[in-house]
Amino acid sequence: MEKHYDFELIEKQMQTLWREMRAYAFKSDHTKPLYSIDTPPPTVNGSLHIGHIFSYTQAEMIARYRRMQGYNVFYPFGFDDNGLPTERLVEKELGIRAGQMPRSAFIEACLETTKKYETEFKALWSSLGFSCDWSLQYETISPDSQRISQRSFIELYEKGKAYVKESPVLWCTECQTSIAQAELDTLEKETIFYTLKFDLVDDLQVPVERFEPEHTSQTNAQQPKPQTLLVATTRPELLNGCVALFVHPEDDRYKGLIGKSANVPLYNYQIPILGEATVDREKGTGIVMVATFGDATDVTWVQSHGLPYRSVITADGTIEADDPILGSLKVGKARAVIVEQLRLSGLIEGEQTINHIVGTHERCGKPTEIIPSRQWYIDILTDQARFIEAADAINWYPEHMKNRYLNWVQNLKWDWCISRQRFFGVPIPVWYCAACGKAKIAEASQLPVNPLETAPIGACSCGHTVFIPESAVLDTWATSSITPQINGKWGEADDWTSELMPMSMRTQAHEIIRTWAFYSIVKSLYHTGEIPWKDLMICGFVLAKKGEKISKSKSNAVQSPTELIKTHSADVMRYWAANAKLGTDTFFDAEELSIAKRFINKLWHASKFCFSQLENYVTNDTSSDMANRSASSQKTSHPEIYLPIDLWILERLQDTFNLATAALDVYEIGTARHYIDTFFFSDFCDDYLELVKERLYQPEKHGYDAQKSGQAALYQCLLGLLKLYAPYVPHITEYLYQSYFASRESTDSNDHAASQSKFTASIHLTTWPKSRSLDETLMAFGKEIKAIIGEARRYKSENKLSMKAEMPTLTLQCSQATQPLYAQSLGDLKACTHAIEFIMSEND
Ligand SMILES: [Zn+2]
Ligand SMILES: [Zn+2]
């Protein structure tokens, strides 16, 4: 074998091998249990970063693990290429604005750009050795996905769960579209709290108590001054949208004002003063100005008190043109102008700088507005209890992520707004009757349909046949929330959702629990009454050092995934990605990759050593698969293995399989790797190889049977190790397997088609041994042996002796049960510790 492992050459070779043997092709096979993965389709909004490698690789390892366990793994890959993120990428790349060009030309540009990125993304995932079946690839903008998405919309409409209404909606004036509550971020911002003077209208009739006899002459001389009400606001530009003042009904300062009216400064119109128990008496002056719409509280109070709507801010973020003071100004400029006007008129009582929380659009970071418009919604508020209940039917990994979901669902305030005033998305399959305004929904036979290009079938129920098409598109989440249905080809000729759903596992990042996980649960419950998947694997993400954002900073260019793979290898990146606890965020530090590189190096050299010792070894039985060995038949299936040290290392290997299986079954990839590493570095390399070395080298001294016992154990142990590491570092393990084991292990494949083909079976199609109970005596014996070796090494290093130095005596601390195993192990112990004489000391 080569002296050094050439990853650049070998990783590509292994990927070609897998492609040629179609190692990961999904076949309908009812002899094996199905394990299906709902893979997150990455948003096509620019390049992938190290965070994607981190989370996607963790899920990929699970796919490999399940395949080796004997499952028929359905592992598709998709791209979420419709919607605003893609539009913004295209606008940025081409230096255009969607609204300034023909709709069709813009959509064409979007399709071209997404194709380019999808090719890049696919190449990256392939270079990481991903074992998905690319023939199952889907895109959320493809005609098939559009048809399934529109079908979902129509079914929800027919079930009364999708509805259209004119009402205040969260609006981004930058992206010029409505947005959903889940797309709202919050930002703490410094702003000025202006205390404005409003006149109390009823005070113009001067109260009786003011007419004290001694002052009569003075007050008669001039017009009585109206009482001034002080009202604090952060949004004076909304003054012309003021519809009421609110006070707390038990606020002694103001309760007398309830029922009276106030005059809006500068604009001079009257608004009522109303009582409202949810007014915060401590905030500002305790008198609250309600304008349409400053925030969600305004919306609530306007609705609950039946107040009118006064339009101030328009969809593009300018003030209504007919506003006498601020007409057509942008919001920021409008605020400066109105403050100046108020100051000049002496209508500002005070200004205070405060920090407050503003809602921003997660896609562009700009503060959002609330603007009434006609939008499509999915009713999610009615069924909150059902969505909460569904959380218990799903296994959450890690468990505490369930709380994030529950918190979100319990605090929902708005129905899910699914329409977007954008271009590159799935069209809403609806027209409106020009005569009566009634919505007409597309027929199933028309799907996918773009109402802007196609007319509806038939007339409106009112008899008229002239229709206005809906020009809004569906929000991208409305389509990505049905990835299980897209995978199952729901409603298509080859629909297999009844077999596929609920899917075995969804993997995703924690920051999209409130969107992707939640919306998928909503859609699945509404369509089928069932949860979409059994297990939810929630990954953390990667932060650059010192709170740097990964994707933005220029100094992070060296962290480009393509460069990292090219420089360090896919296996190194994968080994690194398997380091963290599931669901926790991690930092990326290129220096940590040296740990992974040392590991690859150690695995290479240890394997080479083993192969050199196995050159003349002939396996007695071809069915050496450990899965076929029960505890009782274990010793007989490898009759040549009889020495206790050899039996122990195989038992410890099984122990490692038991531990790794338990961890991987709950998606703890990092924990499982830790168990495997301990076995490899400590038990196998540090101790076992040192114990068995001389027996392998010198059969004339230790006996040929003893050598054979060691060789057989070495064979099984290395094979087991390669299997344990196969999900983590698939390239090097495959190469090592192909270099030695493949020709000898031809029957150990759970894929018979592959094993009968011209290709030798892949390690990734071999069997992962089942967990079983362990031989406790052997395990205790191994622990004692390790302690004895450790003690000898400690003694030598403390006394500055060479590790090869002889020791006159060595005490063997053992138990009654393990004592009989020592007689056949003294040769190994002597070779390893260089002790001349042993003293047995029984512990119990
Ligand atoms: Zn925006
Ligand atoms: Zn009509």
Side-chain angles (χ1 to χ4, degrees):
M1 275 177 83
E2 309 88 315
K3 199 155 181 241
H4 295 289
Y5 176 62
D6 180 356
F7 74 82
E8 275 180 284
L9 184 75
I10 289 169
E11 289 195 343
K12 280 203 185 70
Q13 277 178 3
M14 294 305 104
Q15 287 159 17
T16 307
L17 173 76
W18 298 329
R19 214 170 21 250
E20 285 178 358
M21 70 194 293
R22 302 194 66 233
Y24 312 124
F26 175 71
K27 295 166 218 124
S28 185
D29 177 356
H30 296 281
T31 62
K32 290 192 218 166
L34 179 67
Y35 186 84
S36 55
I37 302 173
D38 190 15
T39 318
T43 309
V44 180
N45 64 349
S47 55
L48 297 172
H49 53 75
I50 183 84
H52 290 102
I53 294 196
F54 179 69
S55 55
Y56 276 79
T57 303
Q58 292 189 3
E60 202 273 341
M61 290 164 180
I62 293 294
R64 289 186 177 277
Y65 163 65
R66 293 298 189 196
R67 205 176 281 116
M68 291 176 78
Q69 274 192 317
Y71 285 93
N72 188 22
V73 173
F74 175 77
Y75 184 24
F77 211 95
F79 295 101
D80 192 12
D81 48 11
N82 86 68
L84 192 50
T86 307
E87 287 193 18
R88 296 215 65 113
L89 169 72
V90 173
E91 288 182 333
K92 207 176 92 201
E93 289 217 331
L94 305 181
I96 50 162
R97 285 306 290 253
Q100 294 160 354
M101 62 193 291
R103 192 179 177 111
S104 57
F106 180 68
I107 289 172
E108 201 50 48
C110 287
L111 284 168
E112 244 169 66
T113 307
T114 52
K115 192 155 264 162
K116 181 186 89 182
Y117 278 100
E118 279 160 24
T119 309
E120 269 178 33
F121 284 12
K122 190 178 161 183
L124 175 71
W125 297 127
S126 301
S127 73
L128 264 172
F130 268 35
S131 66
C132 45
D133 181 348
W134 288 105
S135 71
L136 306 173
Q137 184 185 321
Y138 64 87
E139 306 84 32
T140 55
I141 198 68
S142 76
D144 288 355
S145 297
Q146 293 205 27
R147 188 163 52 239
I148 294 169
S149 182
Q150 290 185 336
R151 188 176 289 136
S152 160
F153 170 84
I154 292 171
E155 187 176 291
L156 293 182
Y157 176 80
E158 283 165 356
K159 287 185 169 176
K161 293 296 180 195
Y163 66 91
V164 62
K165 77 167 176 188
E166 171 97 26
S167 80
V169 67
L170 287 167
W171 188 274
C172 178
T173 57
E174 169 75 12
C175 302
Q176 295 196 25
T177 182
S178 55
I179 64 166
Q181 189 188 347
E183 289 160 81
L184 198 61
D185 273 344
T186 51
L187 180 72
E188 191 170 323
K189 244 187 125 169
E190 195 175 86
T191 192
I192 298 170
F193 212 23
Y194 297 97
T195 304
L196 309 183
K197 296 177 187 171
F198 282 59
D199 285 344
L200 183 67
V201 175
D202 299 45
D203 254 20
L204 293 174
Q205 285 134 35
V206 184
V208 179
E209 61 267 31
R210 284 206 179 179
F211 290 92
E212 299 294 330
E214 60 268 38
H215 299 301
T216 307
S217 55
Q218 284 178 309
T219 43
N220 272 348
Q222 57 197 122
Q223 276 284 29
K225 273 231 163 174
Q227 187 184 336
T228 299
L229 304 176
L230 297 179
V231 182
T233 179
T234 56
R235 304 210 56 185
E237 73 276 15
L238 288 178
L239 216 45
N240 199 22
C242 222
V243 289
L245 294 181
F246 279 94
V247 297
H248 195 283
E250 277 150 36
D251 190 333
D252 290 332
R253 296 171 295 174
Y254 304 127
K255 62 184 179 191
L257 297 172
I258 295 172
K260 296 181 178 175
S261 297
N263 186 57
V264 177
L266 295 181
Y267 291 93
N268 292 315
Y269 65 93
Q270 291 185 11
I271 52 169
I273 303 171
L274 304 169
E276 167 58 56
T278 54
V279 165
D280 180 358
R281 280 179 264 190
E282 309 300 319
K283 199 175 169 195
T285 61
I287 306 179
V288 186
M289 152 185 153
V290 167
T292 50
F293 292 101
D295 58 20
T297 310
D298 289 347
V299 176
T300 312
W301 290 351
V302 164
Q303 278 167 356
S304 60
H305 291 267
L307 293 167
Y309 171 67
R310 290 178 64 97
S311 176
V312 179
I313 297 170
T314 65
D316 64 0
T318 58
I319 305 290
E320 286 285 3
D322 61 3
D323 184 302
I325 305 168
L326 306 174
S328 299
L329 291 179
K330 281 267 181 195
V331 168
K333 175 82 180 149
R335 186 176 301 177
V337 169
I338 198 83
V339 165
E340 192 53 32
Q341 289 282 323
L342 288 163
R343 266 198 205 116
L344 287 173
S345 310
L347 291 166
I348 298 185
E349 173 73 18
E351 297 179 25
Q352 188 196 355
T353 303
I354 57 160
N355 281 323
H356 80 155
I357 306 290
V358 293
T360 57
H361 183 203
E362 64 165 10
R363 301 283 189 204
C364 68
K366 297 278 159 39
T368 52
E369 298 291 351
I370 298 169
I371 293 179
S373 60
R374 186 176 65 178
Q375 302 290 345
W376 281 91
Y377 293 86
I378 289 177
D379 172 7
I380 49 176
L381 296 177
T382 312
D383 290 282
Q384 246 164 319
R386 213 173 147 198
F387 305 139
I388 288 167
E389 215 172 276
D392 287 331
I394 295 166
N395 303 310
W396 296 74
Y397 299 101
E399 173 78 27
H400 65 86
M401 291 292 178
K402 182 157 92 178
N403 293 333
R404 293 205 192 187
Y405 171 86
L406 292 175
N407 281 338
W408 177 253
V409 180
Q410 279 153 358
N411 289 302
L412 286 171
K413 289 192 179 66
W414 310 63
D415 272 341
W416 175 16
C417 175
I418 51 165
S419 48
R420 296 290 181 273
Q421 286 58 50
R422 298 294 306 186
F423 313 94
F424 191 58
V426 177
I428 297 177
V430 172
W431 301 260
Y432 304 94
C433 173
C436 72
K438 198 170 170 246
K440 182 154 179 65
I441 310 295
E443 301 281 327
S445 62
Q446 291 180 287
L447 307 186
V449 69
N450 184 351
L452 291 171
E453 291 165 2
T454 309
I457 297 170
C460 175
S461 55
C462 79
H464 283 83
T465 52
V466 180
F467 292 94
I468 300 154
E470 172 62 83
S471 59
V473 295
L474 287 171
D475 170 33
T476 180
W477 293 116
T479 303
S480 61
S481 57
I482 50 164
T483 49
Q485 288 86 349
I486 291 174
N487 282 316
K489 303 182 189 305
W490 180 62
E492 302 287 287
D494 46 356
D495 183 342
W496 69 299
T497 41
S498 59
E499 193 186 330
L500 180 70
M501 288 178 71
M503 292 182 80
S504 310
M505 184 265 268
R506 147 76 66 92
T507 164
Q508 64 163 76
H510 57 66
E511 81 271 24
I512 52 172
I513 289 176
R514 65 184 189 180
T515 47
W516 199 36
F518 174 57
Y519 293 151
S520 302
I521 292 171
V522 168
K523 286 251 186 163
S524 185
L525 288 174
Y526 280 170
H527 287 308
T528 66
E530 306 273 349
I531 48 168
W533 354 261
K534 293 174 197 144
D535 292 358
L536 197 46
M537 172 189 183
I538 311 266
C539 301
F541 48 69
V542 182
L543 309 164
K545 287 259 158 177
K546 299 169 225 133
E548 265 178 70
K549 254 198 154 177
I550 284 278
S551 48
K552 300 275 163 69
S553 167
K554 274 182 192 160
S555 63
N556 286 331
V558 285
Q559 295 178 358
S560 124
T562 314
E563 282 307 306
L564 286 168
I565 295 165
K566 222 180 252 171
T567 318
H568 305 286
S569 85
D571 282 352
V572 161
M573 295 313 297
R574 294 176 61 107
Y575 187 85
W576 164 80
N579 197 29
K581 208 172 151 38
L582 182 67
T584 40
D585 296 339
T586 190
F587 288 100
F588 177 71
D589 181 355
E591 281 182 17
E592 269 178 41
L593 298 178
S594 58
I595 298 167
K597 281 188 217 165
R598 272 202 299 277
F599 157 73
I600 295 286
N601 204 32
K602 183 123 184 158
L603 184 63
W604 177 252
H605 288 289
S607 301
K608 268 179 56 179
F609 169 78
C610 295
F611 295 152
S612 72
Q613 298 307 312
L614 291 170
E615 265 167 19
N616 63 345
Y617 171 69
V618 184
T619 41
N620 279 359
D621 58 318
T622 48
S623 61
S624 55
D625 183 16
M626 287 186 49
N628 300 328
R629 302 191 304 163
S630 69
S632 56
S633 71
Q634 178 210 347
K635 284 167 195 172
T636 53
S637 77
H638 298 292
E640 69 272 38
I641 305 174
Y642 68 97
L643 289 173
I645 297 274
D646 299 333
L647 292 169
W648 160 69
I649 198 68
L650 288 184
E651 204 62 5
R652 178 69 184 97
L653 172 69
Q654 179 63 48
D655 180 32
T656 309
F657 271 110
N658 290 359
L659 292 166
T661 301
L664 290 170
D665 281 347
V666 294
Y667 304 97
E668 286 294 351
I669 285 144
T671 310
R673 202 204 82 189
H674 173 77
Y675 288 134
I676 304 166
D677 283 345
T678 304
F679 174 69
F680 173 59
F681 285 97
S682 168
D683 300 281
F684 186 70
C685 293
D686 288 355
D687 297 333
Y688 179 71
L689 290 183
E690 294 302 318
L691 283 160
V692 80
K693 230 181 215 170
E694 194 182 278
R695 174 145 56 87
L696 296 169
Y697 289 150
Q698 300 177 35
E700 61 285 356
K701 178 174 168 189
H702 295 275
Y704 286 87
D705 283 352
Q707 182 197 38
K708 185 101 195 251
S709 174
Q711 283 177 320
L714 202 60
Y715 180 101
Q716 294 305 328
C717 214
L718 181 62
L719 178 60
L721 259 170
L722 294 180
K723 287 187 183 188
L724 283 165
Y725 276 126
Y728 294 91
V729 285
H731 302 90
I732 188 169
T733 49
E734 180 75 284
Y735 185 69
L736 292 168
Y737 182 82
Q738 295 297 333
S739 306
Y740 182 81
F741 293 103
S743 56
R744 294 165 172 85
E745 289 286 316
S746 53
T747 57
D748 176 24
S749 168
N750 57 39
D751 188 274
H752 296 291
S755 63
Q756 281 156 20
S757 77
K758 65 185 168 120
F759 297 105
T760 323
S762 159
I763 188 170
H764 302 293
L765 303 175
T766 61
T767 312
W768 183 275
K770 287 195 168 63
S771 295
R772 63 159 171 78
S773 57
L774 302 169
D775 181 327
E776 291 306 327
T777 310
L778 272 179
M779 291 300 289
F781 168 70
K783 236 183 216 162
E784 289 167 14
I785 293 285
K786 283 176 72 71
I788 291 161
I789 299 172
E791 192 59 26
R793 285 177 182 152
R794 197 180 53 80
Y795 170 82
K796 287 182 187 176
S797 83
E798 274 176 8
N799 292 283
K800 300 195 167 55
L801 295 168
S802 146
M803 284 299 149
K804 288 187 176 143
E806 284 192 339
M807 299 176 78
T809 55
L810 186 61
T811 307
L812 305 178
Q813 296 277 354
C814 62
S815 67
Q816 198 176 26
T818 57
Q819 200 179 359
L821 300 173
Y822 282 85
Q824 286 180 296
S825 307
L826 295 180
D828 290 346
L829 278 169
K830 203 169 227 172
C832 179
T833 61
H834 303 277
I836 295 163
E837 206 185 323
F838 294 104
I839 301 164
M840 297 297 288
S841 163
E842 216 179 280
N843 280 338
D844 48 354

